[in-house]
Amino acid sequence: MSSVETLKAMAAAAAVGLIEPGMVIGLGFGSTAAYATRMIGERLANGELREIVGVPCAEGTAALARELGIPLTTLDDVENVDITIDGADEVDPDMALIKGGGGALLREKMVAQASRRVVIIVDESKLSPALGTRFALPIEVVDFGYRATARWLTAQGGGVRLRLRSDGQPFRTDQGHLILDWACGPIADPAALADRLAARAGIVEHGLFIGLATDLFVAGATGVRHIVRTDCGRVAP
């Protein structure tokens, strides 16, 4: 296992320690979140956990959870999600996030918004002084007029690319939508940009997750730090 993979596993293990029997758990998507899902499956199999149920954020997560024997449900069938464990592509000092590198941003945000506690697990390379500094912002869009949406994004500054699969065909989300990756550069006001994107017809969802993360586990050379977001000040990674 590479050093980065080791860090991902360390962060996941720390977060999974928060899970208690009987919880409804949001199961995130991506390589880091997959470590957490596997660890939940292991704890369920060896009897450390019982009476839990998962709400997967992507079809790929659902398939992994079924393989591990984790019982699943949907947002329609639960009133609340007790805890969601997920990764992030970029985290700023206020614990605002860019997510969507795997293309599951819509379902990930829906599950996060339904969760009492949203636990984000990352290695320290994902920390950033400002969102957009190191990672393009994923924008989920409908097919109709997607080039017009891309032109509008370009007019805001930066470059836009249609996300493609390895075979050169357009990437499709679980809902069948397209993804535009917008290299917008450092974002001075993520909340204002989120509002502007949400108001634009044709944009289904964007990868800015603001005010959703309650906990952050950051794995680095010196171990794992657990940071809890507060409403009275900035959280410095």
Side-chain angles (χ1 to χ4, degrees), residues 114-154:
S115 300
R116 294 190 175 97
R117 193 171 187 181
V118 177
V119 179
I120 299 300
I121 51 177
V122 295
D123 66 87
E124 58 188 0
S125 71
K126 300 300 178 66
L127 303 181
S128 175
L131 297 182
T133 302
R134 302 174 181 173
F135 203 85
L137 179 61
I139 310 288
E140 185 166 348
V141 300
V142 297
D143 285 52
F144 179 81
Y146 83 87
R147 290 186 178 87
T149 302
R151 288 194 296 270
W152 179 80
L153 290 170
T154 301

Side-chain angles (χ1 to χ4, degrees), residues 58-224:
E59 294 300 324
T61 303
L64 176 61
R66 293 189 188 99
E67 179 183 327
L68 296 167
I70 300 173
L72 297 179
T73 187
T74 70
L75 283 182
D76 291 331
D77 295 324
V78 294
E79 292 188 8
N80 293 288
V81 177
D82 294 300
I83 186 170
T84 287
I85 300 177
D86 206 350
D89 300 302
E90 196 169 15
V91 184
D92 79 2
D94 293 313
M95 283 172 62
L97 319 170
I98 283 181
K99 289 177 53 55
L105 60 158
L106 175 58
R107 294 191 188 184
E108 286 175 327
K109 190 173 288 187
M110 292 177 69
V111 174
Q113 289 176 340
S115 300
R116 294 190 175 97
R117 193 171 187 181
V118 177
V119 179
I120 299 300
I121 51 177
V122 295
D123 66 87
E124 58 188 0
S125 71
K126 300 300 178 66
L127 303 181
S128 175
L131 297 182
T133 302
R134 302 174 181 173
F135 203 85
L137 179 61
I139 310 288
E140 185 166 348
V141 300
V142 297
D143 285 52
F144 179 81
Y146 83 87
R147 290 186 178 87
T149 302
R151 288 194 296 270
W152 179 80
L153 290 170
T154 301
Q156 313 305 305
V160 178
R161 288 187 178 182
L162 176 67
R163 187 177 297 184
L164 302 176
R165 303 183 322 206
S166 58
D167 63 1
Q169 294 301 306
F171 173 89
R172 296 280 177 179
T173 68
D174 286 341
Q175 284 70 41
H177 299 135
L178 301 171
I179 294 280
L180 297 175
D181 288 307
W182 179 27
C184 56
I187 302 169
D189 190 340
L193 178 58
D195 288 344
R196 194 156 76 246
L197 294 171
R200 184 72 182 183
I203 293 178
V204 178
E205 192 51 82
H206 56 77
L208 290 171
F209 283 54
I210 301 168
L212 290 173
T214 60
D215 298 74
L216 177 66
F217 284 93
V218 183
T222 59
V224 179

Side-chain angles (χ1 to χ4, degrees), residues 16 19-23 25 27 36-54 64-72:
V16 169
I19 297 174
E20 298 176 0
M23 280 186 165
I25 307 164
L27 303 174
T37 300
R38 292 188 184 97
M39 291 172 186
I40 292 167
E42 291 170 1
R43 292 185 63 189
L44 187 63
N46 65 26
E48 292 181 50
L49 283 177
R50 64 185 187 281
E51 298 177 358
I52 63 167
V53 63
L64 176 61
R66 293 189 188 99
E67 179 183 327
L68 296 167
I70 300 173
L72 297 179

